[in-house]
Amino acid sequence: MQLQESHSVTFAMSCAIVGLSGCAYFYLSKLLDDSVIISLLNAITVRHLRWGFPNCFNRFRKLGYQWIYKCVYRVYCELKLNLWVMGKIRIPLRTPEKLSVPNNFSGSRGGIHCFRLVLRLSFNSP
């Protein structure tokens, strides 16, 4: 401010003399149109189809843009880029069926009994 340079006055005092608040002095005007944000969002989403908003916003920050989160998200939603998160597709439960038993089934010991008999004969024979 010229008042600070010409007279030895503080910043708060010079703002009070002019009738301007400190916030209004440092205010930066917003973008009139969102064409830059739209073009960048389209470029990023064409390249990375499954990226959501956080990834796109982080890419903006890596590219050096300092836009506010709310502003970029507003444009993101206007372009209808907010993706629906698909839930996990679950396999339906299967009902176990009872095993069929043959008619001439002698029992479960038959196989084990024969195996023991073979072992006994093989170790006892010279």
Side-chain angles (χ1 to χ4, degrees):
M1 291 176 88
Q2 292 178 356
L3 264 172
Q4 287 178 337
E5 294 169 3
S6 59
H7 307 291
S8 59
V9 213
T10 62
F11 174 75
M13 183 73 78
S14 61
C15 284
I17 291 170
V18 177
L20 187 69
S21 68
C23 295
Y25 177 73
F26 288 110
Y27 178 75
L28 297 174
S29 62
K30 297 178 184 175
L31 291 173
L32 295 175
D33 60 350
D34 299 323
S35 60
V36 180
I37 299 174
I38 290 171
S39 64
L40 278 172
L41 272 174
N42 285 332
I44 289 174
T45 53
V46 164
R47 175 111 190 236
H48 306 281
L49 295 175
R50 296 298 300 165
W51 272 16
F53 177 72
N55 288 336
C56 293
F57 188 72
N58 288 337
R59 178 55 60 99
F60 279 172
R61 289 297 167 110
K62 281 185 180 179
L63 293 175
Y65 296 102
Q66 294 297 319
W67 290 312
I68 300 170
Y69 187 88
K70 284 182 179 181
C71 177
V72 178
Y73 188 70
R74 177 182 51 81
V75 175
Y76 185 81
C77 290
E78 285 176 3
L79 292 175
K80 299 199 189 289
L81 293 174
N82 41 348
L83 299 172
W84 176 69
V85 178
M86 195 163 106
K88 183 177 179 183
I89 299 173
R90 300 189 186 278
I91 300 172
L93 294 175
R94 69 179 176 97
T95 55
E97 298 175 6
K98 291 187 176 182
L99 297 174
S100 60
V101 180
N103 292 336
N104 57 1
F105 183 69
S106 62
S108 61
R109 274 190 69 189
I112 296 173
H113 181 66
C114 292
F115 182 70
R116 284 183 183 163
L117 183 64
V118 169
L119 283 176
R120 235 186 254 150
L121 292 175
S122 64
F123 282 118
N124 290 335
S125 63

